[in-house]
Each structure stands twice: as structure tokens, then as C-alpha cells.
Amino acid sequence: MPLQRLLYTLKYFIIFFSVCQIFGQRRPPIHNFNIHDYQAGIQNWGIAYGDKNVFVANNEGLLEFDGNTWRFYELPNKTIVRSVAYFDGKVYTGSYEEFGYWEKTKTGDYNYVSLSERISGKNIETESIWSIYKLKEAIIFKSFSGIFVYENGRIKTIKAGTTILGGNVVNDEFFVFGREKGIYKLKDDKLLLESETALLKDFKVQSIVPFEEGKVMIGTSLNGCFIWENDRIAPWKHPLNELMKENQLNKISIEKEYIFLGTIKNGVYVYSRKNNQFYNLNVQNGLQNNTVLGILFNERGTLWLSLDNGISAVPIDFDGYYLNPSQQDIGGVYDMVSYNNNTYIATNTGVYVGNQDGIKFIEGSQGHIWNLSLVDDVIICGHNLGTYEIKNDKWTSISNQNGGYVFKELEGVPDTYLQGNYSGLTLYKKNGNGWDVKDVEGIDFPVKNLVFEKDHIAWAAHTYKGVYRIHFSEDYSKVTRVEEQYNKYFQNSYLIKLFNIEGQISFYNEGKWFMFNPLESKIVDFESLNTILGKDSDAYPITDEGVNPILFKKADGTLFIREQLNNAETQFYLPTRYYQNRLLKNDERAIVVNDSIIQIALYNDILAVNTNRISSQKEPEAPSIHRILKNGTPLILDSLPTFKQRDTIVIETSLPFLSNSTIVYSLPNVMDSDYREAKEGKIVITNLPYGETTVDIRTKVKSKVSDTGVKLSIETQKPWYLGVWGILLAILIFLIIGLVVLTINKYMLIRHKKYLEDQFEHQKELNRKEEALIHEKKLNELQKLQHEKELKGKTKELANTALEMTKKNEILSDLREELVYFKSEIIDKLRFNKLLKKIDRNINNANDWEIFESNFNQIHDSFFKNLIKLHPEKLTSKDLKLCAYLKMNLSSKEIAPLMSISVRGVEIHRYRLRKKLNLSSEQNLNEYLMNI
């Protein structure tokens, strides 16, 4: 008996290890969601699916995921949601001292209805609802001490009398495990013990699930799984059972083709019932946490896991897989070669080989590997330290030329290759089992890529400084000429990618395509390629030239595939979650293994994509509309949404998670019929024309838009001012404006009339003033003439006075001379002398001058003031007299008797006066005085 057990155990361990080997490298892509994605608590206790959405019982509330957007709902008491289930359009949840359901509102949100409020408080006190089931028309909420049955609007409370753990509905009967008792069956509102299950009483039963026809699988926490059949219970005879004991089984989910076993210690085990093979998903191969608290497998073949930390989604019937299942730290992948059912992987840590046995390191290859090239049965490696070959997984040096970026075969020259490396170009010629190696002369810069234009002419891409057109000698041993003038055509010579596309030397730089025009010997826009790629003209290929299908990388990092370059109908995008943020920027690389498998280099891994499966779609999936928001406010979904033209409309749509389709929409009665992509599932519309608009929402696979979809009618309301009230208001406004215009015109006419009258009066006043001015001017002219006449008279009178004074003085002088002549004959000398003195007094009489001065000042009132002002402290009274006489334009002869001096004395006095007045010889004294 012990020998039989040993053979039995050995048999299943052999099966186990063979299964692990088969599935070792076929790890499906795991998509992890953490608290930053869903914005709620870390722990997720349960998971359910319904209405195309995933619902999760979270530490902080209920989570909803529509395939594109996570939404969070909080319980009124803000407690932990321990369990979740979806039945008949309602989401049922259980919490601490609380259970109930969530109903979808007319706006697409979920509203909570409490059921626990309908029962006595002490029946639910301290209870937590850990599981929810549907039994025919009843909903069962299970806690650790009993169950609550909700049916026909009433709730029944059934106490178990013991701690109850795992339960389930099997063949329309509800079973639950009672600690230290066994499995109970619910019958007539009572829990009845199934006697044959008593042998499980000391175990911790976590799951009870239908297995096969007439069989039930019972999963325990630490004692493995048992099969319950025909009133008998026996251990499950499968190698997985031992693993369940070791890793603490927590949840079981059995589907038609798979069994999923979630553990506390080591993630989930996926067992294929079809081929009797299984594999494990845990932290080591991509799962974000090893403690599985809930399992869900939906009709799309996606396994959802609610974890102690986060949520994970695994496409079991996957379209791609990773080659590094154990997540070895291999570093960034720079190149790959598929040969003999192996994939050789060039990384910055060395060369690895991946196959059915997993992934292993090629000994001796440590260092940065840039390039791998298959030559016959040998793989040539461009290593940081030299050039090596791999044959039969043996590492051998063939050259010390380090940093080999590219290894190109020369067409028409057998067994001869050119390598671009750190120091330039190296010529390799195969010689039996060895290589003849020679550096190409005439080139001294690093060559990262090499593309031939024709024999002996090639384009070389510098690692940092653009591209060069190089000419080779006949035997390719020497570069005879290097043309470097072409870099001026590019915006950034550092990032120029070089290709040969359909016989054209092509360049990709800063999101644009260029080509070499050999006829004009210049770089021009590659217009035909831009047309072929259309809206994706910012993409460049990362697979080898001349190989189909072609994988392109866009400027925003997304990847798409075309079966052929010119066939846009075959184009489809890869789901970004397969490779997001894991491509090596500017060193992206992919290889075509066969007509259906493409391998894509990632950091620390390789993604293998089945292009046939990922691009196929059995039938188009219709998009779902979850929310319609007007300026951020949700609207009722099943009514005709009405908007104002300035409103912003957001339609939130989604497809099932990891769908290969894209949501597109058009507004056929507003703009052209072209379909536009809904970014992140959101359709944002504004400034629609008035009236009803139809939004046609469909899906697109590759470049084909589905024939059916969802149509949403929305109405843009005319503003009130364009309706009846607006017309009435417009009429009223026009009437008011007319009345105002008439009033204003009347007022303006009155104002204008008054203005004209005022102008007339003003003009009359101006005319009167003008006439007065003319009269005054004439009067002034008469007065001026009168004044001038009076002035002339006074001047003449003054002149006459001066002449009279002159004549008087002359007469008195003559008389004195006559008297002096008769002096000897005069007897009375005394009287004679008195007479002479009297004559002398009259000749120099001051009164004469005062009279003259007074008359002079009347005519020239400011003459003396101005003269003294111009010449202060210089002029004597005698000088002033002379100036006055000169002002009167009297001659020296006329002045002499007035001043009682000779004519000669007058001239001398004039001379002295000129000096006092500082007059030059050119200035006339009389004119100077006349001008004062």
C-alpha cells in the first residue's frame, strides 16, 4: 500500500513538472489595477459581473468598472463592503451590520437601498456579510453565525448555532459549512446537517462548488480539495491538491473549460480541464499580490481577481504572452532572433535564450548586446566589447570590433557582410568555419544603421550626428567619398531613422517622413508614404524591412500592425496595456516569427502577440453608453437630452475590457460622415446647431467600422429669443426703438430750431459787434489822425518855442554885444552892469528850459525815462538837453544859442555824447535818439 501511494504521488509530480514546463513561457499578460487607478481602498474582498460591468467589494465602498472607467460608490454608513453579487439588474453588497442592493438610476449611477433596516437591530448586530447567493427567487446573505434570506420583499433570519464558512448554491439547493459540524443544507427555512460531510468538521471549508455531473468540489483552507459524490467524500486526486495544502486555498471557481484556485500565499492556479494542464500566476510572474480574495471569470474569457492589494485582470484565452514568466532581471531588450524554436534575446546585460523550458543566460555574454543576426546556423552578436558568434549555445569571439549595431549581407558578394560599429564599418567574409575581418578604410565615425541605395553606395546613420551618403570601392574595403550635406534638410540631426521602403531611401525625423530624390540629389517630403499612412504618418516601422506583417510605433507610443504597407484595411492597434511604458525609447524593436506571431522587445521581457487572434472579432461588439453629462451634470439616459448651444456634452461610452475594437462616432447631420475616435471612451460635443442631432456611435476593428451601433438623439434648444417670446420681444423692442427715435427726432428738431435761433441771435450780435468794431476803428483812426495832428501841432509849437528861445537868446546876445560896445560911453556904470546881468539871466533862463522840457515830455512822455534806463549814471542834465534838442531834429547851429555855447562846442558835445551812449561810427546819433 505505501508503495502504491509512492508511485501514485510520483506519477502526479511528473505530470506536474511536465505541465509547468509546457506552460512556463506562455504566461498571459496580467493587467494590474491599484489604488491610483480606482481611487479607493487597498483590499478588495469580492468581485462580480453584470450588465457588462465589473463590480468589486472594496475596503472603502463599491467599485464599478465599465472596461474603461472606474467609479466609486460609498455606503451611507461608510463601512467596508465585504461581499458583492449581481442578480437581475441589481448589485447586492454585504457589509458590517449592513446589507442591501444598488439600483441603477436613470442617470447611470447606482443608488443604495438598505435591506438590513427591515430587520431587528439585534439580529444584525456585530454581523458582517461575507457572501451573497441566489437561490431560485431568493437572495441569501451569509454571515459567520447565520443567513438572511430576502424573498418577496421579506427577510428571514436563520441562525446556524455554529460558525459557518464556505457556502454555495448547487443544483438549486443551498449548502453551507458549519465549523466542527459539517455541511448543512437549507430546507424549509432550516439548516439540516448532511451526515456524510461530518468527516470535514475539523477542517476549514472555504468553497463548495459544482464540479462535474453529480459531483461537488469542496475546498478547504489547509487540507486540499475533496470531491462529494453519491453521499461519499474523497480527496481530489490531482497534483494540484498538494499545492493547495501548501499555499492555503481560499477561493474556487469552476468553469466549463477551466478551474481557478485562488490561494492566500501563492496567487491563483489556472487548470485547463480540456488538456489537463495548469500554471500558476503569482507575484513572481506579474500578479501584484499573492492573496486572492475573490475570483470572477466572465464570458469574454477574462479572469478577474480581487486581491488583498489591488485588482488584476488576466485574459486566459489570451492573444499574447510573455517570454520571461519568472520575471528574471534581464534588463532592456535591444534585439531578438528566432531560430530553431528558440528566441535569442539581446539585452544590456547579455544574451538570453527563451524556449519551452523557460529562459536562460548564455554563459560568457555578459555586457551590452546591440544586435543579433542569423547567418546560416550561427548567430552573430554585436557586443559592447567585441563581435561574437553563438553556435549550439556556445559563445565564441570572432572579432575585437566592439559595439556592433548592424550586420548587413552584401548583395551579389557571397558570404560577405558589413558591420556598423563604434569605430565605423568592418568587412566580414565567411571562410569555412571562420571569418576574415577587416576594417573599412576612409570612415571614422560610429555607424548605427546602414542602408544600401545601390551597389557601392549606401547611407549610414551616425549614432548622434545624422546621416551620410557613402561611396565604396569596388571590393568594399574602402570608403572613397562621404557626403554629409544632407543633414541640413532635417530639423534634428540627432534623431534620424534610416529605412529602405519600397526601394526608396527613407528618413523619419521629428514625426515626419522624407526621402532621397536621386535625380535632384536632395532630400524631399515622402508624400506617397504620408498618403499611405494617412493620419498615422507620424509612425515608423520597428520590424525588419521587406517582412510582413509590419509593426509600427506612433509618436505617442502606441503600436499598430498592418499585414501589408499599402493595405490600410488590415491595420489594427495593439491594446496598450500589453506594452505600456515598457518600450525602449528610440531603440524599439520587433521581429516577425511567422505569419501570426510577432515578438516585441520590452524592458525586462518580450511580448509575443498572435496577430491573427488579436485582430479577429467573431462579431462586432456594440458600445455601451454609461453617462450623459451636461456641463458636468449627469442627465437621464432614456430621455431625449436637451441642451443649449453653449453647453458642453460629454457622452461616456465603453467596450468590454481588452476589447480589440475602438469606439468611433459621427454626427451625420452636422458634419462630414467620417467617424472620429472617442478618446478614452468620452465623446465631447459642443456648439451643435439648433434642432435634433443624431450621434452615431459604433465600433471599429482594424479600419472597418461596424455596420451596427448605438444611436443617440440629442436636441439643441433654440434660445428663447429665437422663439415666439423672442419675436414678441423683438417687435416690442422695435416699437420702443421707433418711439424713442421719433421722440429723439422731435427733441432734436426742437433743439435744432433753438440752435438755429441762437445762431441767428449770435450772428446778429456778431454783426453788431463787428459794426461797433468798425465804427470804433474809424473813430480810433480819426482820433489817431487827431492825435497825430495835435502831435504835429505840439511838435511844431515846441519847435517854434525852441526857435523863439533861440531868436530871443540871439537878440539878447546881440543886444548885449551892442551894449558892451557902447560901454565906454555909458555914464551910469551901475545900471549898465545890472542891465547886462539881466540880459545874461534871460539868455540862460531856467524857466525857458522847464517850459521846453514840459512841452517835450507831453509829446515824448517816456523819452527821458527810457534814455536814463538804457544809460544809467552816465548822462548829465546838459547831456539830456542835447539829447532832447537832437530828438527835435535841431541842427547844431540851432542848438548852440539854446545851450549858450558855440556851434563848435555843440559838435564837441555831440562827440562826447556818442561815446557816453557807446555808439559805433556807423550809427547815426540822431537816428538812435529818434528811435527811443
Side-chain angles (χ1 to χ4, degrees), residues 764-780:
K764 281 174 64 178
E765 182 65 23
L766 289 177
N767 292 340
R768 187 188 62 77
K769 289 182 178 180
E770 187 176 356
E771 289 177 359
L773 287 172
I774 292 170
H775 179 70
E776 185 179 355
K777 185 176 180 183
K778 287 181 179 179
L779 183 60
N780 288 338

Side-chain angles (χ1 to χ4, degrees), residues 704-719:
K704 180 180 172 60
V705 177
S706 62
D707 296 330
T708 59
V710 178
K711 291 188 177 182
L712 175 68
S713 295
I714 56 180
E715 184 177 358
T716 306
Q717 294 177 329
K718 292 182 180 179

Side-chain angles (χ1 to χ4, degrees), residues 313-333:
V314 186
I316 297 301
D317 192 16
F318 48 86
D319 308 315
Y321 54 88
Y322 295 107
L323 297 188
N324 185 16
S326 59
Q327 288 289 281
Q328 293 185 47
D329 188 14
I330 65 175
V333 177

Side-chain angles (χ1 to χ4, degrees), residues 841-901:
R841 281 196 305 273
N842 283 286
I843 291 173
N844 296 307
N845 194 348
N847 291 331
D848 292 340
W849 167 252
E850 290 175 0
I851 293 169
F852 177 82
E853 185 180 18
S854 176
N855 292 332
F856 182 84
N857 284 333
Q858 288 181 10
I859 300 171
H860 307 289
D861 56 346
S862 59
F863 175 74
F864 288 124
K865 290 180 182 178
N866 292 336
L867 185 60
I868 292 170
K869 190 176 181 181
L870 290 171
H871 305 283
E873 301 178 359
K874 289 185 178 181
L875 302 177
T876 64
S877 59
K878 193 174 181 180
D879 293 334
L880 294 175
K881 287 180 181 181
L882 177 59
C883 289
Y885 296 145
L886 292 173
K887 178 76 172 175
M888 294 296 298
N889 201 21
L890 298 179
S891 64
S892 297
K893 187 177 179 181
E894 292 171 330
I895 295 171
L898 292 173
M899 297 187 68
S900 300
I901 58 175

Side-chain angles (χ1 to χ4, degrees), residues 552-565:
F552 286 86
K553 176 190 173 290
K554 285 173 61 67
D556 62 4
T558 56
L559 302 177
F560 68 86
I561 293 174
R562 281 192 179 185
E563 292 178 9
Q564 293 177 338
L565 176 65

Side-chain angles (χ1 to χ4, degrees), residues 513-667:
W513 279 100
F514 304 89
M515 60 173 284
F516 175 64
N517 185 337
L519 298 178
E520 300 181 13
S521 190
K522 67 178 183 179
I523 307 295
V524 297
D525 291 341
F526 201 162
E527 295 180 358
S528 60
L529 183 58
N530 287 328
T531 301
I532 289 171
L533 294 176
K535 65 181 180 63
D536 295 318
S537 61
D538 64 339
Y540 56 87
I542 61 174
T543 46
D544 291 326
E545 298 168 4
V547 178
N548 290 322
I550 306 169
L551 180 64
F552 286 86
K553 176 190 173 290
K554 285 173 61 67
D556 62 4
T558 56
L559 302 177
F560 68 86
I561 293 174
R562 281 192 179 185
E563 292 178 9
Q564 293 177 338
L565 176 65
N566 294 313
N567 192 350
E569 296 298 319
T570 63
Q571 177 174 319
F572 63 94
Y573 285 87
L574 295 182
T576 56
R577 286 188 174 274
Y578 285 142
Y579 56 85
Q580 195 169 36
N581 300 322
R582 297 181 66 188
L583 297 170
L584 273 67
K585 189 175 182 180
N586 297 320
D587 283 300
E588 301 87 358
R589 181 76 172 109
I591 63 170
V592 178
V593 177
N594 53 48
D595 58 358
S596 63
I597 301 296
I598 291 180
Q599 293 179 348
I600 304 168
L602 304 176
Y603 185 81
N604 223 34
D605 214 333
I606 290 176
L607 170 65
V609 178
N610 187 320
T611 58
N612 290 339
R613 293 180 62 180
I614 202 168
S615 65
S616 64
Q617 193 80 45
K618 293 180 180 179
E619 56 185 54
E621 298 173 286
S624 301
I625 298 176
H626 295 277
R627 306 285 190 283
I628 302 173
L629 297 98
K630 178 172 74 174
N631 302 326
T633 302
L635 301 179
I636 296 174
L637 292 174
D638 57 357
S639 64
L640 178 66
T642 57
F643 302 90
K644 296 178 182 178
Q645 193 173 45
R646 66 177 179 271
D647 290 336
T648 298
I649 309 160
V650 178
I651 305 170
E652 295 184 357
T653 64
S654 73
L655 289 169
F657 183 61
L658 292 180
S659 170
N660 296 325
S661 304
T662 303
I663 297 176
V664 293
Y665 72 97
S666 72
L667 306 171

Side-chain angles (χ1 to χ4, degrees), residues 282-330:
N282 56 22
V283 170
Q284 280 73 33
N285 53 36
L287 207 63
Q288 61 185 333
N289 183 263
N290 276 337
T291 301
V292 179
L293 301 178
I295 297 177
L296 164 71
F297 185 70
N298 64 18
E299 76 277 4
R300 290 183 51 79
T302 301
L303 174 66
W304 288 87
L305 304 174
S306 57
L307 307 173
D308 192 54
N309 185 353
I311 302 164
S312 293
V314 186
I316 297 301
D317 192 16
F318 48 86
D319 308 315
Y321 54 88
Y322 295 107
L323 297 188
N324 185 16
S326 59
Q327 288 289 281
Q328 293 185 47
D329 188 14
I330 65 175

